[in-house]
């Protein structure tokens, strides 16, 4: 009489039909794990870039605010910024010498601009482009990376003539005080 159930024969038949399946399952699992790890690494890199950009924006705002406050205190000296100004070497050191309001304004700009330069940023004070108004205003620009603190249509400019940030610009600008009407 033949046994109805032969466990040894059944087990050996299953093994012969499953050759290589275990290895394929392991390869699929490792591939899915690799994709997940690469996705996580990509998120970390993007997070670091966004954090650095936020840090640069915060620092730039602080430099612009610092210069703005110095200009607010020395309103008479802001006349020196008419047009475009980015001279980082003042005529006098106002910490050790008495200065005129214009000399103090130049000195204040040089101090803030040198602090920004230590953080790989560039500063300038420019006349804000404001069509249709007799009042002129100062705009304080702080730029970093490949962007320059300028107004124009080039890829490296901070803003265009109509006060719109250029694509991928790494800068901020802040409107400050008005000066003599024409």
């Amino acid at each position: 009489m033949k046994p109805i159930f032969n466990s040894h024969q059944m087990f050996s038949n299953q093994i012969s039909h499953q050759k290589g399946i275990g290895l394929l399952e392991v390869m699929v699992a490792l591939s899915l794990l690799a994709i997940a790890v690469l996705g996580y690494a990509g998120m970390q890199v993007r997070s670091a870039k966004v954090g650095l950009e936020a840090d640069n924006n915060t620092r730039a705002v602080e430099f612009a605010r610092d210069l703005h406050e110095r200009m607010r205190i020395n309103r008479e000296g802001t006349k020196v910024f008419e047009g475009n100004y980015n001279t980082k070497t003042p005529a006098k050191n106002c910490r050790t010498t008495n200065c005129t309001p214009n000399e103090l304004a130049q000195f204040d700009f040089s101090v803030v601009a040198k602090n920004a330069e230590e953080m790989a940023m560039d500063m300038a004070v420019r006349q804000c482009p404001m069509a249709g108004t007799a009042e002129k205003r100062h705009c304080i620009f702080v730029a970093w990376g490949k962007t320059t603190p300028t107004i124009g249509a080039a890829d490296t400019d901070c803003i265009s003539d109509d006060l719109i940030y250029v694509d991928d610009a790494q800068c901020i600008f802040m409107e400050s005080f008005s000066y003599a009407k024409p």
Side-chain angles (χ1 to χ4, degrees):
M1 221 173 159
K2 226 177 180 187
I4 297 176
F5 181 70
N6 183 348
S7 63
H8 177 67
Q9 184 180 11
M10 187 175 173
F11 183 69
S12 65
N13 283 343
Q14 283 180 346
I15 291 176
S16 66
H17 292 296
Q18 291 188 5
K19 289 183 180 175
I21 297 297
L23 183 60
L24 182 61
E25 290 171 347
V26 169
M27 293 297 287
V28 168
L30 286 176
S31 297
L32 290 175
L33 180 64
I35 290 169
V37 168
L38 286 175
Y40 179 74
M43 281 188 341
Q44 288 295 97
V45 168
R46 180 71 181 137
S47 174
K49 285 181 182 178
V50 168
L52 179 62
E53 190 66 19
D55 186 49
N56 284 336
N57 277 325
T58 301
R59 289 174 196 254
V61 167
E62 285 300 313
F63 291 131
R65 185 199 55 76
D66 185 13
L67 183 59
H68 173 78
E69 287 299 317
R70 290 170 187 245
M71 290 168 69
R72 184 182 65 80
I73 292 168
N74 182 13
R75 289 293 299 249
E76 188 179 333
T78 59
K79 294 174 188 167
V80 78
F81 298 125
E82 290 182 15
N84 298 324
Y85 189 85
N86 63 352
T87 304
K88 293 174 184 76
T89 306
K92 286 185 178 179
N93 181 349
C94 294
R95 288 186 182 133
T96 59
T97 307
N98 289 335
C99 293
T100 66
N102 283 355
E103 291 169 339
L104 180 61
Q106 292 172 338
F107 178 77
D108 285 341
F109 178 83
S110 70
V111 168
V112 176
K114 285 180 183 177
N115 289 339
E117 202 171 78
E118 289 176 5
M119 303 309 272
M121 295 181 173
D122 194 15
M123 289 188 72
V125 176
R126 306 209 178 281
Q127 180 181 335
C128 293
M130 300 179 80
T133 180
E135 190 173 338
K136 295 182 179 181
R137 294 200 176 268
H138 296 104
C139 276
I140 301 169
F141 288 82
V142 184
W144 59 96
K146 295 178 182 173
T147 306
T148 57
T150 52
I151 302 168
D155 290 342
T156 58
D157 290 329
C158 180
I159 62 168
S160 63
D161 291 329
D162 50 358
L163 294 176
I164 297 173
Y165 281 101
V166 174
D167 289 341
D168 299 322
Q170 294 179 306
C171 64
I172 62 106
F173 77 99
M174 181 173 87
E175 188 177 318
S176 191
F177 294 97
S178 61
Y179 53 93
K181 295 180 183 181

